[in-house]
Short mmCIF file of all heavy atoms in Angstrom, two decimals:
data_model
loop_
_atom_site.label_atom_id
_atom_site.label_comp_id
_atom_site.label_asym_id
_atom_site.label_seq_id
_atom_site.Cartn_x
_atom_site.Cartn_y
_atom_site.Cartn_z
N GLN A 24 -6.36 10.10 -1.22
CA GLN A 24 -7.14 10.52 -0.08
C GLN A 24 -6.32 10.32 1.19
O GLN A 24 -5.62 9.32 1.32
CB GLN A 24 -8.42 9.72 -0.02
CG GLN A 24 -9.53 10.47 0.63
CD GLN A 24 -10.82 9.68 0.54
OE1 GLN A 24 -10.82 8.47 0.62
NE2 GLN A 24 -11.91 10.40 0.35
N GLY A 25 -6.38 11.25 2.11
CA GLY A 25 -5.60 11.16 3.33
C GLY A 25 -4.18 11.65 3.18
O GLY A 25 -3.42 11.69 4.14
N ARG A 26 -3.79 12.00 1.97
CA ARG A 26 -2.43 12.48 1.72
C ARG A 26 -2.33 13.96 2.04
O ARG A 26 -3.19 14.75 1.67
CB ARG A 26 -2.07 12.24 0.26
CG ARG A 26 -0.69 12.71 -0.08
CD ARG A 26 -0.39 12.44 -1.53
NE ARG A 26 0.74 13.26 -1.90
CZ ARG A 26 1.25 13.31 -3.09
NH1 ARG A 26 0.74 12.58 -4.05
NH2 ARG A 26 2.27 14.07 -3.36
N ILE A 27 -1.27 14.31 2.74
CA ILE A 27 -1.04 15.71 3.06
C ILE A 27 0.22 16.16 2.34
O ILE A 27 1.29 15.60 2.51
CB ILE A 27 -0.86 15.91 4.59
CG1 ILE A 27 -2.11 15.48 5.33
CG2 ILE A 27 -0.51 17.36 4.90
CD1 ILE A 27 -1.99 15.51 6.83
N ASP A 28 0.08 17.15 1.48
CA ASP A 28 1.23 17.71 0.80
C ASP A 28 1.79 18.84 1.65
O ASP A 28 1.03 19.60 2.26
CB ASP A 28 0.85 18.25 -0.58
CG ASP A 28 0.52 17.13 -1.55
OD1 ASP A 28 1.13 16.06 -1.44
OD2 ASP A 28 -0.34 17.34 -2.42
N SER A 29 3.10 18.93 1.69
CA SER A 29 3.74 19.98 2.47
C SER A 29 4.65 20.80 1.59
O SER A 29 5.19 20.31 0.59
CB SER A 29 4.58 19.37 3.60
OG SER A 29 3.76 18.68 4.49
N HIS A 30 4.83 22.03 1.95
CA HIS A 30 5.73 22.92 1.24
C HIS A 30 6.48 23.71 2.29
O HIS A 30 5.88 24.27 3.21
CB HIS A 30 4.93 23.87 0.34
CG HIS A 30 5.78 24.83 -0.40
ND1 HIS A 30 6.41 24.48 -1.57
CD2 HIS A 30 6.14 26.10 -0.16
CE1 HIS A 30 7.10 25.52 -2.02
NE2 HIS A 30 6.95 26.51 -1.16
N PHE A 31 7.79 23.71 2.20
CA PHE A 31 8.61 24.42 3.17
C PHE A 31 9.42 25.49 2.46
O PHE A 31 9.88 25.30 1.35
CB PHE A 31 9.60 23.46 3.86
CG PHE A 31 8.94 22.41 4.67
CD1 PHE A 31 8.61 21.19 4.12
CD2 PHE A 31 8.62 22.64 6.00
CE1 PHE A 31 8.00 20.20 4.87
CE2 PHE A 31 8.01 21.67 6.76
CZ PHE A 31 7.69 20.45 6.19
N ILE A 32 9.58 26.60 3.11
CA ILE A 32 10.44 27.67 2.61
C ILE A 32 11.54 27.86 3.65
O ILE A 32 11.26 28.10 4.82
CB ILE A 32 9.67 28.99 2.41
CG1 ILE A 32 8.59 28.78 1.35
CG2 ILE A 32 10.62 30.11 2.04
CD1 ILE A 32 7.66 29.96 1.19
N VAL A 33 12.78 27.71 3.22
CA VAL A 33 13.91 27.88 4.11
C VAL A 33 14.58 29.20 3.77
O VAL A 33 14.95 29.44 2.62
CB VAL A 33 14.93 26.72 3.96
CG1 VAL A 33 16.13 26.94 4.85
CG2 VAL A 33 14.24 25.39 4.28
N VAL A 34 14.71 30.06 4.75
CA VAL A 34 15.35 31.34 4.56
C VAL A 34 16.67 31.32 5.30
O VAL A 34 16.71 31.09 6.51
CB VAL A 34 14.47 32.50 5.09
CG1 VAL A 34 15.18 33.83 4.94
CG2 VAL A 34 13.12 32.50 4.39
N ASP A 35 17.75 31.49 4.58
CA ASP A 35 19.07 31.50 5.18
C ASP A 35 19.57 32.92 5.28
O ASP A 35 19.36 33.73 4.38
CB ASP A 35 20.07 30.69 4.33
CG ASP A 35 19.65 29.25 4.22
OD1 ASP A 35 19.44 28.63 5.27
OD2 ASP A 35 19.51 28.76 3.10
N ILE A 36 20.24 33.20 6.37
CA ILE A 36 20.77 34.54 6.58
C ILE A 36 22.24 34.41 6.93
O ILE A 36 22.60 33.73 7.88
CB ILE A 36 20.02 35.25 7.72
CG1 ILE A 36 18.53 35.36 7.39
CG2 ILE A 36 20.63 36.62 7.99
CD1 ILE A 36 17.67 35.82 8.53
N ALA A 37 23.08 35.04 6.15
CA ALA A 37 24.52 35.08 6.46
C ALA A 37 24.74 36.29 7.36
O ALA A 37 24.26 37.38 7.08
CB ALA A 37 25.33 35.21 5.19
N CYS A 38 25.43 36.07 8.47
CA CYS A 38 25.66 37.17 9.39
C CYS A 38 26.98 36.99 10.12
O CYS A 38 27.59 35.93 10.06
CB CYS A 38 24.51 37.28 10.40
SG CYS A 38 24.27 35.78 11.36
N GLU A 39 27.40 38.02 10.76
CA GLU A 39 28.61 37.97 11.59
C GLU A 39 28.23 38.44 12.98
O GLU A 39 27.46 39.39 13.13
CB GLU A 39 29.69 38.88 11.02
CG GLU A 39 30.26 38.39 9.72
CD GLU A 39 31.40 39.26 9.22
OE1 GLU A 39 32.11 39.85 10.07
OE2 GLU A 39 31.56 39.35 8.00
N TRP A 40 28.78 37.79 13.98
CA TRP A 40 28.50 38.17 15.36
C TRP A 40 29.32 39.39 15.71
O TRP A 40 30.53 39.43 15.51
CB TRP A 40 28.83 37.00 16.28
CG TRP A 40 28.51 37.27 17.72
CD1 TRP A 40 27.37 37.81 18.22
CD2 TRP A 40 29.36 37.00 18.84
NE1 TRP A 40 27.44 37.89 19.58
CE2 TRP A 40 28.65 37.40 19.99
CE3 TRP A 40 30.62 36.47 18.98
CZ2 TRP A 40 29.18 37.27 21.27
CZ3 TRP A 40 31.13 36.34 20.25
CH2 TRP A 40 30.42 36.74 21.38
N SER A 41 28.67 40.38 16.25
CA SER A 41 29.35 41.64 16.61
C SER A 41 30.01 41.56 17.98
O SER A 41 30.76 42.45 18.35
CB SER A 41 28.34 42.78 16.61
OG SER A 41 27.42 42.61 17.68
N GLY A 42 29.72 40.50 18.72
CA GLY A 42 30.25 40.36 20.07
C GLY A 42 29.28 40.86 21.12
O GLY A 42 29.48 40.67 22.30
N ALA A 43 28.22 41.53 20.70
CA ALA A 43 27.22 42.04 21.63
C ALA A 43 26.09 41.04 21.79
O ALA A 43 25.61 40.47 20.82
CB ALA A 43 26.67 43.37 21.12
N GLY A 44 25.68 40.81 22.99
CA GLY A 44 24.55 39.92 23.24
C GLY A 44 24.93 38.45 23.12
O GLY A 44 26.05 38.10 22.77
N ALA A 45 23.98 37.60 23.41
CA ALA A 45 24.20 36.16 23.36
C ALA A 45 23.27 35.54 22.33
O ALA A 45 22.13 35.98 22.16
CB ALA A 45 23.93 35.54 24.72
N LEU A 46 23.75 34.51 21.65
CA LEU A 46 22.94 33.78 20.69
C LEU A 46 21.92 32.95 21.46
O LEU A 46 22.26 32.27 22.42
CB LEU A 46 23.82 32.87 19.84
CG LEU A 46 23.12 31.98 18.83
CD1 LEU A 46 22.46 32.83 17.75
CD2 LEU A 46 24.09 31.00 18.23
N ARG A 47 20.67 33.04 21.05
CA ARG A 47 19.63 32.23 21.68
C ARG A 47 18.53 31.95 20.69
O ARG A 47 18.28 32.75 19.78
CB ARG A 47 19.08 32.89 22.93
CG ARG A 47 18.34 34.16 22.69
CD ARG A 47 17.81 34.76 24.01
NE ARG A 47 17.24 36.05 23.80
CZ ARG A 47 16.00 36.27 23.36
NH1 ARG A 47 15.21 35.26 23.08
NH2 ARG A 47 15.55 37.49 23.20
N ALA A 48 17.89 30.82 20.84
CA ALA A 48 16.79 30.44 19.95
C ALA A 48 15.58 31.32 20.25
O ALA A 48 15.33 31.69 21.39
CB ALA A 48 16.43 28.98 20.17
N GLY A 49 14.85 31.65 19.20
CA GLY A 49 13.61 32.39 19.36
C GLY A 49 12.44 31.43 19.52
O GLY A 49 12.63 30.23 19.75
N THR A 50 11.25 31.91 19.35
CA THR A 50 10.06 31.07 19.51
C THR A 50 9.91 30.06 18.37
O THR A 50 9.12 29.12 18.49
CB THR A 50 8.79 31.94 19.56
OG1 THR A 50 8.72 32.72 18.34
CG2 THR A 50 8.82 32.87 20.75
N ASP A 51 10.67 30.23 17.30
CA ASP A 51 10.56 29.35 16.13
C ASP A 51 11.57 28.22 16.13
O ASP A 51 11.62 27.43 15.19
CB ASP A 51 10.73 30.16 14.85
CG ASP A 51 12.10 30.81 14.76
OD1 ASP A 51 12.70 31.05 15.82
OD2 ASP A 51 12.57 31.06 13.65
N ALA A 52 12.39 28.10 17.17
CA ALA A 52 13.44 27.08 17.18
C ALA A 52 13.65 26.53 18.58
O ALA A 52 13.41 27.20 19.58
CB ALA A 52 14.75 27.70 16.68
N ARG A 53 14.09 25.28 18.63
CA ARG A 53 14.41 24.65 19.92
C ARG A 53 15.79 25.06 20.42
O ARG A 53 16.03 25.09 21.61
CB ARG A 53 14.37 23.13 19.79
CG ARG A 53 12.98 22.58 19.73
CD ARG A 53 13.03 21.08 19.73
NE ARG A 53 12.18 20.66 18.63
CZ ARG A 53 12.37 19.62 17.88
NH1 ARG A 53 13.38 18.83 18.09
NH2 ARG A 53 11.56 19.33 16.90
N ALA A 54 16.70 25.33 19.47
CA ALA A 54 18.08 25.64 19.85
C ALA A 54 18.73 26.50 18.78
O ALA A 54 18.26 26.55 17.64
CB ALA A 54 18.88 24.35 20.03
N ALA A 55 19.80 27.17 19.16
CA ALA A 55 20.60 27.95 18.22
C ALA A 55 22.04 27.84 18.66
O ALA A 55 22.33 27.79 19.85
CB ALA A 55 20.15 29.41 18.23
N ARG A 56 22.95 27.74 17.69
CA ARG A 56 24.37 27.67 18.03
C ARG A 56 25.20 28.08 16.84
O ARG A 56 24.78 27.97 15.69
CB ARG A 56 24.76 26.28 18.48
CG ARG A 56 24.57 25.22 17.41
CD ARG A 56 24.89 23.85 17.94
NE ARG A 56 24.44 22.88 16.95
CZ ARG A 56 24.88 21.66 16.88
NH1 ARG A 56 25.76 21.23 17.74
NH2 ARG A 56 24.43 20.85 15.97
N TRP A 57 26.40 28.59 17.12
CA TRP A 57 27.37 28.90 16.08
C TRP A 57 28.17 27.64 15.82
O TRP A 57 28.49 26.90 16.75
CB TRP A 57 28.32 30.01 16.55
CG TRP A 57 27.65 31.32 16.77
CD1 TRP A 57 27.41 31.91 17.97
CD2 TRP A 57 27.14 32.22 15.78
NE1 TRP A 57 26.78 33.12 17.79
CE2 TRP A 57 26.61 33.34 16.45
CE3 TRP A 57 27.09 32.19 14.39
CZ2 TRP A 57 26.03 34.41 15.79
CZ3 TRP A 57 26.51 33.27 13.73
CH2 TRP A 57 25.99 34.36 14.42
N ILE A 58 28.49 27.37 14.56
CA ILE A 58 29.30 26.21 14.22
C ILE A 58 30.39 26.62 13.23
O ILE A 58 30.26 27.61 12.54
CB ILE A 58 28.47 25.05 13.61
CG1 ILE A 58 27.81 25.50 12.30
CG2 ILE A 58 27.44 24.54 14.61
CD1 ILE A 58 27.33 24.37 11.46
N ALA A 59 31.43 25.81 13.19
CA ALA A 59 32.50 26.01 12.21
C ALA A 59 32.07 25.38 10.88
O ALA A 59 31.23 24.47 10.86
CB ALA A 59 33.78 25.36 12.71
N ALA A 60 32.63 25.85 9.80
CA ALA A 60 32.28 25.34 8.47
C ALA A 60 32.45 23.83 8.36
O ALA A 60 31.64 23.16 7.73
CB ALA A 60 33.11 26.05 7.41
N ASP A 61 33.47 23.28 9.01
CA ASP A 61 33.71 21.83 8.89
C ASP A 61 32.71 20.99 9.69
O ASP A 61 32.72 19.78 9.61
CB ASP A 61 35.15 21.48 9.25
CG ASP A 61 35.51 21.81 10.69
OD1 ASP A 61 34.71 22.45 11.40
OD2 ASP A 61 36.62 21.43 11.11
N GLU A 62 31.85 21.61 10.45
CA GLU A 62 30.83 20.88 11.22
C GLU A 62 29.51 20.71 10.46
O GLU A 62 28.65 19.94 10.89
CB GLU A 62 30.54 21.61 12.53
CG GLU A 62 31.71 21.68 13.48
CD GLU A 62 31.34 22.45 14.74
OE1 GLU A 62 30.71 21.85 15.62
OE2 GLU A 62 31.68 23.64 14.80
N VAL A 63 29.35 21.39 9.35
CA VAL A 63 28.09 21.38 8.61
C VAL A 63 27.66 19.97 8.21
O VAL A 63 26.49 19.61 8.34
CB VAL A 63 28.17 22.29 7.36
CG1 VAL A 63 26.98 22.10 6.45
CG2 VAL A 63 28.29 23.74 7.79
N ASP A 64 28.59 19.15 7.75
CA ASP A 64 28.25 17.81 7.28
C ASP A 64 27.76 16.89 8.39
O ASP A 64 27.19 15.84 8.11
CB ASP A 64 29.44 17.17 6.56
CG ASP A 64 29.69 17.80 5.20
OD1 ASP A 64 28.73 18.33 4.61
OD2 ASP A 64 30.83 17.78 4.75
N ARG A 65 27.94 17.26 9.63
CA ARG A 65 27.47 16.43 10.75
C ARG A 65 26.08 16.82 11.24
O ARG A 65 25.55 16.19 12.15
CB ARG A 65 28.47 16.51 11.91
CG ARG A 65 29.77 15.79 11.56
CD ARG A 65 30.74 15.89 12.69
NE ARG A 65 31.70 16.91 12.27
CZ ARG A 65 32.50 17.57 13.07
NH1 ARG A 65 32.48 17.35 14.34
NH2 ARG A 65 33.34 18.46 12.60
N LEU A 66 25.49 17.84 10.65
CA LEU A 66 24.18 18.30 11.07
C LEU A 66 23.06 17.66 10.26
O LEU A 66 23.25 17.30 9.11
CB LEU A 66 24.08 19.82 10.90
CG LEU A 66 25.06 20.66 11.69
CD1 LEU A 66 24.91 22.12 11.30
CD2 LEU A 66 24.84 20.49 13.18
N VAL A 67 21.90 17.54 10.86
CA VAL A 67 20.70 17.12 10.13
C VAL A 67 20.08 18.40 9.60
O VAL A 67 19.68 19.28 10.37
CB VAL A 67 19.72 16.39 11.07
CG1 VAL A 67 18.45 16.05 10.33
CG2 VAL A 67 20.37 15.15 11.66
N LEU A 68 20.03 18.52 8.29
CA LEU A 68 19.56 19.74 7.65
C LEU A 68 18.40 19.46 6.71
O LEU A 68 18.13 18.30 6.37
CB LEU A 68 20.71 20.38 6.85
CG LEU A 68 21.96 20.74 7.63
CD1 LEU A 68 23.08 21.15 6.69
CD2 LEU A 68 21.67 21.85 8.63
N ALA A 69 17.75 20.50 6.29
CA ALA A 69 16.67 20.38 5.31
C ALA A 69 17.23 19.78 4.02
O ALA A 69 18.41 19.98 3.71
CB ALA A 69 16.07 21.75 5.03
N PRO A 70 16.40 19.03 3.26
CA PRO A 70 16.87 18.45 2.01
C PRO A 70 17.50 19.51 1.11
O PRO A 70 16.93 20.58 0.91
CB PRO A 70 15.60 17.87 1.39
CG PRO A 70 14.69 17.61 2.56
CD PRO A 70 14.99 18.71 3.54
N GLY A 71 18.68 19.20 0.59
CA GLY A 71 19.37 20.10 -0.32
C GLY A 71 20.28 21.12 0.37
O GLY A 71 21.12 21.72 -0.28
N MET A 72 20.13 21.31 1.67
CA MET A 72 20.92 22.32 2.36
C MET A 72 22.40 21.94 2.44
O MET A 72 23.27 22.79 2.27
CB MET A 72 20.36 22.57 3.77
CG MET A 72 20.99 23.75 4.47
SD MET A 72 20.85 25.33 3.58
CE MET A 72 19.10 25.53 3.49
N SER A 73 22.71 20.67 2.70
CA SER A 73 24.12 20.24 2.75
C SER A 73 24.81 20.51 1.43
O SER A 73 25.93 21.03 1.39
CB SER A 73 24.23 18.76 3.08
OG SER A 73 23.93 18.53 4.42
N GLU A 74 24.13 20.17 0.33
CA GLU A 74 24.70 20.40 -1.00
C GLU A 74 24.92 21.89 -1.24
O GLU A 74 25.94 22.30 -1.79
CB GLU A 74 23.79 19.81 -2.08
CG GLU A 74 23.69 18.31 -2.07
CD GLU A 74 22.74 17.75 -1.01
OE1 GLU A 74 22.02 18.53 -0.36
OE2 GLU A 74 22.73 16.52 -0.82
N CYS A 75 23.97 22.68 -0.83
CA CYS A 75 24.09 24.14 -0.99
C CYS A 75 25.31 24.65 -0.24
O CYS A 75 26.10 25.42 -0.76
CB CYS A 75 22.82 24.81 -0.49
SG CYS A 75 22.90 26.61 -0.52
N LEU A 76 25.48 24.21 1.00
CA LEU A 76 26.59 24.70 1.82
C LEU A 76 27.94 24.14 1.39
O LEU A 76 28.98 24.65 1.79
CB LEU A 76 26.32 24.40 3.30
CG LEU A 76 25.14 25.17 3.89
CD1 LEU A 76 24.84 24.69 5.31
CD2 LEU A 76 25.40 26.66 3.86
N ARG A 77 27.94 23.08 0.57
CA ARG A 77 29.19 22.55 0.01
C ARG A 77 29.59 23.26 -1.28
O ARG A 77 30.71 23.12 -1.74
CB ARG A 77 29.05 21.06 -0.26
CG ARG A 77 29.29 20.21 0.95
CD ARG A 77 29.47 18.75 0.54
NE ARG A 77 28.69 17.93 1.45
CZ ARG A 77 27.51 17.37 1.20
NH1 ARG A 77 26.95 17.49 0.04
NH2 ARG A 77 26.89 16.68 2.12
N ASP A 78 28.69 24.02 -1.86
CA ASP A 78 28.93 24.72 -3.11
C ASP A 78 30.03 25.77 -2.92
O ASP A 78 29.95 26.59 -2.01
CB ASP A 78 27.64 25.37 -3.59
CG ASP A 78 27.77 26.02 -4.95
OD1 ASP A 78 28.51 27.02 -5.06
OD2 ASP A 78 27.13 25.53 -5.89
N SER A 79 31.03 25.74 -3.76
CA SER A 79 32.17 26.65 -3.61
C SER A 79 31.76 28.12 -3.70
O SER A 79 32.34 28.98 -3.02
CB SER A 79 33.25 26.34 -4.64
OG SER A 79 32.75 26.51 -5.95
N ARG A 80 30.75 28.42 -4.49
CA ARG A 80 30.29 29.82 -4.60
C ARG A 80 29.62 30.28 -3.32
O ARG A 80 29.80 31.41 -2.87
CB ARG A 80 29.35 29.97 -5.79
CG ARG A 80 30.06 29.75 -7.13
CD ARG A 80 29.07 29.54 -8.23
NE ARG A 80 28.31 28.32 -7.92
CZ ARG A 80 27.36 27.83 -8.68
NH1 ARG A 80 27.00 28.44 -9.78
NH2 ARG A 80 26.73 26.73 -8.34
N VAL A 81 28.85 29.39 -2.72
CA VAL A 81 28.19 29.72 -1.44
C VAL A 81 29.25 29.89 -0.36
O VAL A 81 29.22 30.84 0.42
CB VAL A 81 27.17 28.63 -1.05
CG1 VAL A 81 26.63 28.85 0.36
CG2 VAL A 81 26.03 28.57 -2.06
N ARG A 82 30.22 28.98 -0.33
CA ARG A 82 31.29 29.06 0.68
C ARG A 82 32.10 30.35 0.50
O ARG A 82 32.48 31.00 1.49
CB ARG A 82 32.19 27.85 0.62
CG ARG A 82 31.49 26.62 1.20
CD ARG A 82 32.40 25.41 1.17
NE ARG A 82 31.78 24.37 1.94
CZ ARG A 82 32.15 24.02 3.17
NH1 ARG A 82 33.15 24.62 3.76
NH2 ARG A 82 31.52 23.06 3.83
N ALA A 83 32.34 30.75 -0.73
CA ALA A 83 33.07 32.00 -0.97
C ALA A 83 32.27 33.20 -0.45
O ALA A 83 32.80 34.10 0.19
CB ALA A 83 33.38 32.16 -2.46
N PHE A 84 30.97 33.19 -0.70
CA PHE A 84 30.10 34.25 -0.22
C PHE A 84 30.11 34.33 1.30
O PHE A 84 30.15 35.41 1.89
CB PHE A 84 28.67 34.04 -0.72
CG PHE A 84 27.68 35.03 -0.18
CD1 PHE A 84 27.63 36.32 -0.69
CD2 PHE A 84 26.82 34.68 0.85
CE1 PHE A 84 26.72 37.25 -0.18
CE2 PHE A 84 25.93 35.60 1.35
CZ PHE A 84 25.88 36.87 0.84
N LEU A 85 30.10 33.16 1.95
CA LEU A 85 30.10 33.11 3.41
C LEU A 85 31.47 33.34 4.03
O LEU A 85 31.60 33.48 5.23
CB LEU A 85 29.56 31.74 3.89
CG LEU A 85 28.10 31.45 3.56
CD1 LEU A 85 27.76 30.01 3.92
CD2 LEU A 85 27.17 32.42 4.27
N GLY A 86 32.50 33.36 3.18
CA GLY A 86 33.85 33.54 3.70
C GLY A 86 34.43 32.28 4.31
O GLY A 86 35.31 32.32 5.16
N TRP A 87 33.91 31.12 3.87
CA TRP A 87 34.41 29.83 4.36
C TRP A 87 35.50 29.34 3.45
O TRP A 87 35.89 28.34 3.26
CB TRP A 87 33.29 28.79 4.43
CG TRP A 87 32.29 29.05 5.51
CD1 TRP A 87 32.28 30.06 6.43
CD2 TRP A 87 31.12 28.29 5.78
NE1 TRP A 87 31.18 29.96 7.22
CE2 TRP A 87 30.46 28.88 6.86
CE3 TRP A 87 30.56 27.16 5.19
CZ2 TRP A 87 29.27 28.38 7.37
CZ3 TRP A 87 29.39 26.67 5.70
CH2 TRP A 87 28.74 27.27 6.78
#
């Protein structure tokens, strides 16, 4: 009793910046920024996301 179960869905999108426009957070985020691949381990991410981004197959797909 009093317990709240939560379920989160994380949707990742791989993209490349075309040089047009500026990166900015939408209404669903406090901030947005581009980072280098070697900066990922310093971020606070959703559970399992660091492991996913360290996976060699994911890195190959992303071109890292």
Side-chain angles (χ1 to χ4, degrees):
Q24 208 174 36
R26 180 179 162 182
I27 299 174
D28 290 327
S29 297
H30 179 82
F31 296 91
I32 298 173
V33 177
V34 178
D35 298 306
I36 301 170
C38 58
E39 291 184 30
W40 182 47
S41 68
L46 177 66
R47 65 180 174 82
T50 58
D51 62 334
R53 285 186 230 146
R56 62 184 169 159
W57 295 108
I58 62 163
D61 62 352
E62 296 179 80
V63 169
D64 288 334
R65 289 180 257 160
L66 299 175
V67 176
L68 302 171
M72 189 57 61
S73 287
E74 293 79 8
C75 176
L76 293 173
R77 277 193 224 103
D78 185 292
S79 61
R80 293 165 297 180
V81 172
R82 287 181 170 256
F84 175 77
L85 295 172
W87 290 357

